[in-house]
Amino acid sequence: MYEKLKCDNFYIFLFIKDSVIFLATPRTVPESYWNMQRQVYPSVAFNSLIKFPEVKINVGGGYDQTTGVFTCPSEGYYIFHWSVTSANHEQTCSSAVLKNGIEIIGNEIGGNLGAFHLNKNDRTWIKAKSNCTIVHDHSSFSGFKII
């Protein structure tokens, strides 16, 4: 799980072999080319995949920003966190994390966290369980390998 390098009189342990971590968020969409100040939040429909195309970190390359799907690069136990916040305070954004098309954990409001085993090439993504408009700077999908 790690590499040990001797540097002068001490050792440096590198825990980078087989590392996987990603963080992605939705992006706002300009209402028009001429009016860049006003932003429109992305909308999602019931039972649709929620894409998080603004990738902040993608060590291991498992997250595909064009599809919104994380494809497991190596077998292990992973932690996933997601948050889907509604732009309308009177409407919730219900969502769930799916593993190979099967719902694993859902939530009604805000975010959730789950830990589960993935085999190489297993796929996970976030599905909308309600129609809603997402607040881009309060919504995200992230994950990392723990062992």
Side-chain angles (χ1 to χ4, degrees):
M1 292 294 289
Y2 64 87
E3 294 178 14
K4 182 170 84 170
L5 302 174
K6 185 167 179 155
C7 183
D8 293 332
N9 292 325
F10 59 93
Y11 288 97
I12 299 172
F13 294 91
L14 300 176
F15 294 91
I16 58 173
K17 185 179 180 189
D18 206 26
S19 293
V20 177
I21 185 169
F22 74 94
L23 169 64
T25 62
R27 71 170 59 111
T28 56
V29 180
E31 185 176 340
S32 72
Y33 178 79
W34 302 107
N35 187 6
M36 299 297 277
Q37 298 299 337
R38 182 156 180 223
Q39 300 290 313
V40 176
Y41 295 118
S43 292
V44 294
F46 174 72
N47 269 341
S48 67
L49 182 146
I50 302 174
K51 292 182 182 179
F52 297 86
E54 198 69 35
V55 176
K56 309 294 184 185
I57 301 168
N58 195 11
V59 175
Y63 185 73
D64 184 338
Q65 67 190 61
T66 59
T67 64
V69 174
F70 173 78
T71 302
C72 182
S74 60
E75 179 189 7
Y77 288 89
Y78 287 77
I79 301 281
F80 291 97
H81 175 267
W82 76 100
S83 176
V84 181
T85 305
S86 176
N88 180 347
H89 298 292
E90 297 174 5
Q91 176 188 36
T92 62
C93 280
S94 300
S95 59
V97 65
L98 282 74
K99 174 185 169 185
N100 297 325
I102 299 169
E103 185 176 321
I104 303 297
I105 303 169
N107 73 319
E108 292 298 316
I109 299 173
N112 208 341
L113 180 86
F116 42 95
H117 182 267
L118 293 178
N119 293 310
K120 185 174 181 174
N121 295 320
D122 278 350
R123 298 166 26 119
T124 62
W125 63 89
I126 305 301
K127 175 178 87 168
K129 298 196 66 171
S130 63
N131 296 319
C132 69
T133 303
I134 299 173
V135 176
H136 73 284
D137 55 351
H138 293 283
S139 301
S140 64
F141 179 34
S142 62
F144 59 93
K145 183 176 182 178
I146 51 175
I147 55 173

